[in-house]
Amino acid sequence: MLTVETPNDLKNHVGADLGVSRWVEVDQDMIQAFADATGDHQWIHVDVERAKNEMPGGKCIAHGFLTLSLIPQLMYEMVKVEKLKNGINYGSNKLRFTNMVPAGSKVRLGMKIKEVNDMGGGGTQLVTETRMEIDGQERPALVAETITAYFA
């Protein structure tokens, strides 16, 4: 884990590869809970019986946005800013969902610091190159530049 005192200290780590997080299982219960929270009940996510017959691998797949939503919790394992009022998700650049995440798969986050920019008002913007890897798969589930705004 990269630990810095202030958000501004992240500037000293531009280009750093932060490695990977722990693995997280994306099971059918998690997929169903996400479907319920978002109202996205497309059968490829929630109809286990139909997926057995019609989906590659015979399993439902996670929503792309479910996979994206795992980034903040896994990022907390990789970057810690000690003197911080708050941090917010600011957005994503170049987001692509590049592979399906079948129910029961394990994923982990890989991250590299691309840019650190002043935002004014005590804010620092962290831009990271992220990839969500799938255990046993060569192609990641997603690749993106993610942006986090930190305020000290």
Side-chain angles (χ1 to χ4, degrees):
M1 173 184 285
L2 172 64
T3 302
V4 295
E5 188 171 336
T6 69
N8 196 49
D9 293 334
L10 290 165
K11 290 180 179 178
N12 298 324
H13 301 280
V14 172
D17 186 336
L18 302 180
V20 294
S21 69
R22 67 182 162 88
W23 291 104
V24 172
E25 183 177 357
V26 180
D27 61 18
Q28 189 61 45
D29 288 341
M30 181 188 288
I31 295 169
Q32 184 64 52
F34 191 86
D36 292 343
T38 63
D40 182 353
H41 291 95
Q42 186 179 173
W43 74 267
I44 62 174
H45 305 303
V46 298
D47 191 333
V48 174
E49 290 306 311
R50 185 173 176 186
K52 285 180 185 177
N53 297 316
E54 297 184 40
M55 289 298 294
K59 294 181 178 183
C60 291
I61 60 170
H63 305 72
F65 285 108
L66 166 57
T67 307
L68 179 67
S69 75
L70 296 173
I71 290 175
Q73 73 167 288
L74 297 174
M75 186 176 175
Y76 290 136
E77 298 177 8
M78 303 175 79
V79 177
K80 179 180 180 183
V81 180
E82 293 183 333
K83 293 183 179 177
L84 185 67
K85 287 183 184 175
N86 62 56
I88 60 171
N89 296 319
Y90 193 79
S92 298
N93 297 327
K94 304 176 188 175
L95 170 64
R96 296 292 182 267
F97 299 109
T98 55
N99 201 353
M100 295 183 292
V101 178
S105 297
K106 292 182 181 177
V107 297
R108 70 179 177 186
L109 180 66
M111 195 166 59
K112 181 178 179 178
I113 296 176
K114 183 174 182 182
E115 299 175 27
V116 179
N117 304 304
D118 291 324
M119 294 179 60
T124 301
Q125 188 181 79
L126 171 66
V127 180
T128 57
E129 294 176 2
T130 59
R131 67 190 179 285
M132 191 67 73
E133 300 174 355
I134 308 167
D135 192 20
Q137 298 284 326
E138 188 172 319
R139 206 168 31 145
L142 69 79
V143 293
E145 288 180 3
T146 56
I147 307 166
T148 306
Y150 289 120
F151 296 93

PDB file of all heavy atoms in Angstrom, residues 66-88:
ATOM      1  N   LEU A  66     -21.410  -2.909 -11.962  1.00  0.00           N
ATOM      2  CA  LEU A  66     -21.076  -3.567 -10.695  1.00  0.00           C
ATOM      3  C   LEU A  66     -19.567  -3.713 -10.590  1.00  0.00           C
ATOM      4  O   LEU A  66     -18.964  -3.380  -9.566  1.00  0.00           O
ATOM      5  CB  LEU A  66     -21.759  -4.937 -10.585  1.00  0.00           C
ATOM      6  CG  LEU A  66     -21.249  -5.874  -9.486  1.00  0.00           C
ATOM      7  CD1 LEU A  66     -21.332  -5.247  -8.114  1.00  0.00           C
ATOM      8  CD2 LEU A  66     -21.997  -7.189  -9.524  1.00  0.00           C
ATOM      9  N   THR A  67     -18.962  -4.187 -11.654  1.00  0.00           N
ATOM     10  CA  THR A  67     -17.504  -4.334 -11.667  1.00  0.00           C
ATOM     11  C   THR A  67     -16.825  -2.990 -11.437  1.00  0.00           C
ATOM     12  O   THR A  67     -15.894  -2.877 -10.639  1.00  0.00           O
ATOM     13  CB  THR A  67     -17.059  -4.954 -13.004  1.00  0.00           C
ATOM     14  OG1 THR A  67     -17.804  -6.158 -13.236  1.00  0.00           O
ATOM     15  CG2 THR A  67     -15.587  -5.287 -12.989  1.00  0.00           C
ATOM     16  N   LEU A  68     -17.324  -1.962 -12.105  1.00  0.00           N
ATOM     17  CA  LEU A  68     -16.779  -0.615 -11.917  1.00  0.00           C
ATOM     18  C   LEU A  68     -16.937  -0.157 -10.469  1.00  0.00           C
ATOM     19  O   LEU A  68     -16.036   0.460  -9.900  1.00  0.00           O
ATOM     20  CB  LEU A  68     -17.490   0.366 -12.862  1.00  0.00           C
ATOM     21  CG  LEU A  68     -17.075   1.827 -12.782  1.00  0.00           C
ATOM     22  CD1 LEU A  68     -15.642   2.012 -13.257  1.00  0.00           C
ATOM     23  CD2 LEU A  68     -18.029   2.685 -13.620  1.00  0.00           C
ATOM     24  N   SER A  69     -18.062  -0.485  -9.859  1.00  0.00           N
ATOM     25  CA  SER A  69     -18.335  -0.017  -8.496  1.00  0.00           C
ATOM     26  C   SER A  69     -17.424  -0.647  -7.453  1.00  0.00           C
ATOM     27  O   SER A  69     -17.353  -0.154  -6.323  1.00  0.00           O
ATOM     28  CB  SER A  69     -19.803  -0.271  -8.123  1.00  0.00           C
ATOM     29  OG  SER A  69     -20.034  -1.638  -7.850  1.00  0.00           O
ATOM     30  N   LEU A  70     -16.717  -1.696  -7.801  1.00  0.00           N
ATOM     31  CA  LEU A  70     -15.784  -2.324  -6.857  1.00  0.00           C
ATOM     32  C   LEU A  70     -14.475  -1.549  -6.734  1.00  0.00           C
ATOM     33  O   LEU A  70     -13.713  -1.756  -5.792  1.00  0.00           O
ATOM     34  CB  LEU A  70     -15.496  -3.766  -7.283  1.00  0.00           C
ATOM     35  CG  LEU A  70     -16.686  -4.718  -7.272  1.00  0.00           C
ATOM     36  CD1 LEU A  70     -16.294  -6.064  -7.880  1.00  0.00           C
ATOM     37  CD2 LEU A  70     -17.235  -4.887  -5.877  1.00  0.00           C
ATOM     38  N   ILE A  71     -14.217  -0.660  -7.671  1.00  0.00           N
ATOM     39  CA  ILE A  71     -12.941   0.060  -7.661  1.00  0.00           C
ATOM     40  C   ILE A  71     -12.697   0.821  -6.358  1.00  0.00           C
ATOM     41  O   ILE A  71     -11.619   0.676  -5.768  1.00  0.00           O
ATOM     42  CB  ILE A  71     -12.806   0.980  -8.892  1.00  0.00           C
ATOM     43  CG1 ILE A  71     -12.641   0.113 -10.146  1.00  0.00           C
ATOM     44  CG2 ILE A  71     -11.626   1.942  -8.742  1.00  0.00           C
ATOM     45  CD1 ILE A  71     -12.621   0.895 -11.451  1.00  0.00           C
ATOM     46  N   PRO A  72     -13.640   1.634  -5.853  1.00  0.00           N
ATOM     47  CA  PRO A  72     -13.316   2.384  -4.636  1.00  0.00           C
ATOM     48  C   PRO A  72     -12.912   1.511  -3.449  1.00  0.00           C
ATOM     49  O   PRO A  72     -11.921   1.809  -2.777  1.00  0.00           O
ATOM     50  CB  PRO A  72     -14.607   3.159  -4.343  1.00  0.00           C
ATOM     51  CG  PRO A  72     -15.250   3.318  -5.677  1.00  0.00           C
ATOM     52  CD  PRO A  72     -14.950   2.025  -6.404  1.00  0.00           C
ATOM     53  N   GLN A  73     -13.647   0.435  -3.170  1.00  0.00           N
ATOM     54  CA  GLN A  73     -13.289  -0.381  -2.013  1.00  0.00           C
ATOM     55  C   GLN A  73     -11.914  -1.022  -2.180  1.00  0.00           C
ATOM     56  O   GLN A  73     -11.168  -1.143  -1.206  1.00  0.00           O
ATOM     57  CB  GLN A  73     -14.348  -1.446  -1.731  1.00  0.00           C
ATOM     58  CG  GLN A  73     -14.387  -2.598  -2.708  1.00  0.00           C
ATOM     59  CD  GLN A  73     -15.211  -3.761  -2.213  1.00  0.00           C
ATOM     60  OE1 GLN A  73     -14.808  -4.471  -1.299  1.00  0.00           O
ATOM     61  NE2 GLN A  73     -16.368  -3.947  -2.815  1.00  0.00           N
ATOM     62  N   LEU A  74     -11.562  -1.421  -3.389  1.00  0.00           N
ATOM     63  CA  LEU A  74     -10.255  -2.043  -3.600  1.00  0.00           C
ATOM     64  C   LEU A  74      -9.147  -1.003  -3.643  1.00  0.00           C
ATOM     65  O   LEU A  74      -8.018  -1.268  -3.221  1.00  0.00           O
ATOM     66  CB  LEU A  74     -10.280  -2.894  -4.865  1.00  0.00           C
ATOM     67  CG  LEU A  74     -11.254  -4.074  -4.803  1.00  0.00           C
ATOM     68  CD1 LEU A  74     -11.331  -4.785  -6.136  1.00  0.00           C
ATOM     69  CD2 LEU A  74     -10.895  -5.029  -3.676  1.00  0.00           C
ATOM     70  N   MET A  75      -9.480   0.196  -4.104  1.00  0.00           N
ATOM     71  CA  MET A  75      -8.499   1.276  -4.130  1.00  0.00           C
ATOM     72  C   MET A  75      -8.051   1.652  -2.714  1.00  0.00           C
ATOM     73  O   MET A  75      -6.892   2.008  -2.502  1.00  0.00           O
ATOM     74  CB  MET A  75      -9.097   2.486  -4.844  1.00  0.00           C
ATOM     75  CG  MET A  75      -8.142   3.617  -5.061  1.00  0.00           C
ATOM     76  SD  MET A  75      -8.989   4.892  -6.029  1.00  0.00           S
ATOM     77  CE  MET A  75      -7.741   6.159  -6.025  1.00  0.00           C
ATOM     78  N   TYR A  76      -8.973   1.569  -1.742  1.00  0.00           N
ATOM     79  CA  TYR A  76      -8.622   1.882  -0.354  1.00  0.00           C
ATOM     80  C   TYR A  76      -7.526   0.970   0.167  1.00  0.00           C
ATOM     81  O   TYR A  76      -6.811   1.324   1.102  1.00  0.00           O
ATOM     82  CB  TYR A  76      -9.840   1.783   0.564  1.00  0.00           C
ATOM     83  CG  TYR A  76     -10.872   2.859   0.351  1.00  0.00           C
ATOM     84  CD1 TYR A  76     -12.217   2.545   0.306  1.00  0.00           C
ATOM     85  CD2 TYR A  76     -10.517   4.195   0.200  1.00  0.00           C
ATOM     86  CE1 TYR A  76     -13.186   3.527   0.109  1.00  0.00           C
ATOM     87  CE2 TYR A  76     -11.465   5.175   0.001  1.00  0.00           C
ATOM     88  CZ  TYR A  76     -12.796   4.832  -0.038  1.00  0.00           C
ATOM     89  OH  TYR A  76     -13.742   5.803  -0.234  1.00  0.00           O
ATOM     90  N   GLU A  77      -7.368  -0.203  -0.413  1.00  0.00           N
ATOM     91  CA  GLU A  77      -6.306  -1.130  -0.018  1.00  0.00           C
ATOM     92  C   GLU A  77      -4.964  -0.749  -0.630  1.00  0.00           C
ATOM     93  O   GLU A  77      -3.943  -1.272  -0.231  1.00  0.00           O
ATOM     94  CB  GLU A  77      -6.640  -2.549  -0.479  1.00  0.00           C
ATOM     95  CG  GLU A  77      -7.874  -3.126   0.116  1.00  0.00           C
ATOM     96  CD  GLU A  77      -8.180  -4.505  -0.435  1.00  0.00           C
ATOM     97  OE1 GLU A  77      -7.350  -5.078  -1.177  1.00  0.00           O
ATOM     98  OE2 GLU A  77      -9.258  -5.018  -0.123  1.00  0.00           O
ATOM     99  N   MET A  78      -4.990   0.130  -1.615  1.00  0.00           N
ATOM    100  CA  MET A  78      -3.786   0.410  -2.392  1.00  0.00           C
ATOM    101  C   MET A  78      -3.207   1.797  -2.156  1.00  0.00           C
ATOM    102  O   MET A  78      -2.015   1.996  -2.322  1.00  0.00           O
ATOM    103  CB  MET A  78      -4.102   0.210  -3.874  1.00  0.00           C
ATOM    104  CG  MET A  78      -4.631  -1.194  -4.139  1.00  0.00           C
ATOM    105  SD  MET A  78      -5.154  -1.435  -5.820  1.00  0.00           S
ATOM    106  CE  MET A  78      -3.567  -1.666  -6.587  1.00  0.00           C
ATOM    107  N   VAL A  79      -4.054   2.759  -1.785  1.00  0.00           N
ATOM    108  CA  VAL A  79      -3.613   4.141  -1.551  1.00  0.00           C
ATOM    109  C   VAL A  79      -4.243   4.640  -0.264  1.00  0.00           C
ATOM    110  O   VAL A  79      -5.455   4.537  -0.085  1.00  0.00           O
ATOM    111  CB  VAL A  79      -4.047   5.083  -2.706  1.00  0.00           C
ATOM    112  CG1 VAL A  79      -3.634   6.511  -2.411  1.00  0.00           C
ATOM    113  CG2 VAL A  79      -3.490   4.633  -4.032  1.00  0.00           C
ATOM    114  N   LYS A  80      -3.414   5.188   0.610  1.00  0.00           N
ATOM    115  CA  LYS A  80      -3.920   5.782   1.844  1.00  0.00           C
ATOM    116  C   LYS A  80      -3.336   7.182   1.982  1.00  0.00           C
ATOM    117  O   LYS A  80      -2.118   7.371   1.905  1.00  0.00           O
ATOM    118  CB  LYS A  80      -3.525   4.943   3.057  1.00  0.00           C
ATOM    119  CG  LYS A  80      -4.013   5.525   4.364  1.00  0.00           C
ATOM    120  CD  LYS A  80      -3.608   4.666   5.535  1.00  0.00           C
ATOM    121  CE  LYS A  80      -4.108   5.266   6.835  1.00  0.00           C
ATOM    122  NZ  LYS A  80      -3.659   4.487   7.993  1.00  0.00           N
ATOM    123  N   VAL A  81      -4.218   8.151   2.175  1.00  0.00           N
ATOM    124  CA  VAL A  81      -3.807   9.537   2.428  1.00  0.00           C
ATOM    125  C   VAL A  81      -4.168   9.824   3.878  1.00  0.00           C
ATOM    126  O   VAL A  81      -5.339   9.795   4.248  1.00  0.00           O
ATOM    127  CB  VAL A  81      -4.507  10.520   1.468  1.00  0.00           C
ATOM    128  CG1 VAL A  81      -4.049  11.941   1.765  1.00  0.00           C
ATOM    129  CG2 VAL A  81      -4.227  10.152   0.016  1.00  0.00           C
ATOM    130  N   GLU A  82      -3.161  10.072   4.705  1.00  0.00           N
ATOM    131  CA  GLU A  82      -3.381  10.183   6.150  1.00  0.00           C
ATOM    132  C   GLU A  82      -4.115  11.459   6.558  1.00  0.00           C
ATOM    133  O   GLU A  82      -4.985  11.420   7.414  1.00  0.00           O
ATOM    134  CB  GLU A  82      -2.056  10.043   6.889  1.00  0.00           C
ATOM    135  CG  GLU A  82      -1.495   8.637   6.747  1.00  0.00           C
ATOM    136  CD  GLU A  82      -0.225   8.409   7.510  1.00  0.00           C
ATOM    137  OE1 GLU A  82       0.542   9.377   7.747  1.00  0.00           O
ATOM    138  OE2 GLU A  82       0.022   7.241   7.876  1.00  0.00           O
ATOM    139  N   LYS A  83      -3.745  12.597   5.988  1.00  0.00           N
ATOM    140  CA  LYS A  83      -4.393  13.862   6.357  1.00  0.00           C
ATOM    141  C   LYS A  83      -5.393  14.207   5.258  1.00  0.00           C
ATOM    142  O   LYS A  83      -5.054  14.859   4.274  1.00  0.00           O
ATOM    143  CB  LYS A  83      -3.357  14.965   6.542  1.00  0.00           C
ATOM    144  CG  LYS A  83      -2.455  14.728   7.740  1.00  0.00           C
ATOM    145  CD  LYS A  83      -1.488  15.859   7.950  1.00  0.00           C
ATOM    146  CE  LYS A  83      -0.626  15.576   9.175  1.00  0.00           C
ATOM    147  NZ  LYS A  83       0.376  16.629   9.373  1.00  0.00           N
ATOM    148  N   LEU A  84      -6.624  13.758   5.470  1.00  0.00           N
ATOM    149  CA  LEU A  84      -7.639  13.857   4.442  1.00  0.00           C
ATOM    150  C   LEU A  84      -8.979  14.197   5.063  1.00  0.00           C
ATOM    151  O   LEU A  84      -9.415  13.553   6.015  1.00  0.00           O
ATOM    152  CB  LEU A  84      -7.724  12.503   3.719  1.00  0.00           C
ATOM    153  CG  LEU A  84      -8.630  12.396   2.523  1.00  0.00           C
ATOM    154  CD1 LEU A  84      -8.102  13.242   1.370  1.00  0.00           C
ATOM    155  CD2 LEU A  84      -8.711  10.937   2.093  1.00  0.00           C
ATOM    156  N   LYS A  85      -9.629  15.240   4.541  1.00  0.00           N
ATOM    157  CA  LYS A  85     -11.002  15.545   4.971  1.00  0.00           C
ATOM    158  C   LYS A  85     -11.965  14.575   4.311  1.00  0.00           C
ATOM    159  O   LYS A  85     -12.823  13.995   4.951  1.00  0.00           O
ATOM    160  CB  LYS A  85     -11.379  16.978   4.616  1.00  0.00           C
ATOM    161  CG  LYS A  85     -10.734  18.026   5.468  1.00  0.00           C
ATOM    162  CD  LYS A  85     -11.238  19.402   5.076  1.00  0.00           C
ATOM    163  CE  LYS A  85     -10.504  20.470   5.863  1.00  0.00           C
ATOM    164  NZ  LYS A  85     -10.897  21.814   5.424  1.00  0.00           N
ATOM    165  N   ASN A  86     -11.831  14.457   2.982  1.00  0.00           N
ATOM    166  CA  ASN A  86     -12.664  13.507   2.255  1.00  0.00           C
ATOM    167  C   ASN A  86     -12.112  13.274   0.865  1.00  0.00           C
ATOM    168  O   ASN A  86     -11.273  14.017   0.373  1.00  0.00           O
ATOM    169  CB  ASN A  86     -14.129  13.977   2.187  1.00  0.00           C
ATOM    170  CG  ASN A  86     -14.297  15.287   1.457  1.00  0.00           C
ATOM    171  OD1 ASN A  86     -13.890  15.422   0.311  1.00  0.00           O
ATOM    172  ND2 ASN A  86     -14.906  16.266   2.117  1.00  0.00           N
ATOM    173  N   GLY A  87     -12.599  12.226   0.260  1.00  0.00           N
ATOM    174  CA  GLY A  87     -12.270  11.901  -1.119  1.00  0.00           C
ATOM    175  C   GLY A  87     -13.558  11.536  -1.837  1.00  0.00           C
ATOM    176  O   GLY A  87     -14.447  10.919  -1.241  1.00  0.00           O
ATOM    177  N   ILE A  88     -13.673  11.947  -3.086  1.00  0.00           N
ATOM    178  CA  ILE A  88     -14.882  11.625  -3.847  1.00  0.00           C
ATOM    179  C   ILE A  88     -14.502  11.069  -5.221  1.00  0.00           C
ATOM    180  O   ILE A  88     -13.457  11.413  -5.780  1.00  0.00           O
ATOM    181  CB  ILE A  88     -15.808  12.852  -4.023  1.00  0.00           C
ATOM    182  CG1 ILE A  88     -15.090  13.988  -4.760  1.00  0.00           C
ATOM    183  CG2 ILE A  88     -16.328  13.339  -2.682  1.00  0.00           C
ATOM    184  CD1 ILE A  88     -15.998  15.126  -5.162  1.00  0.00           C
TER     185      ILE A  88
END
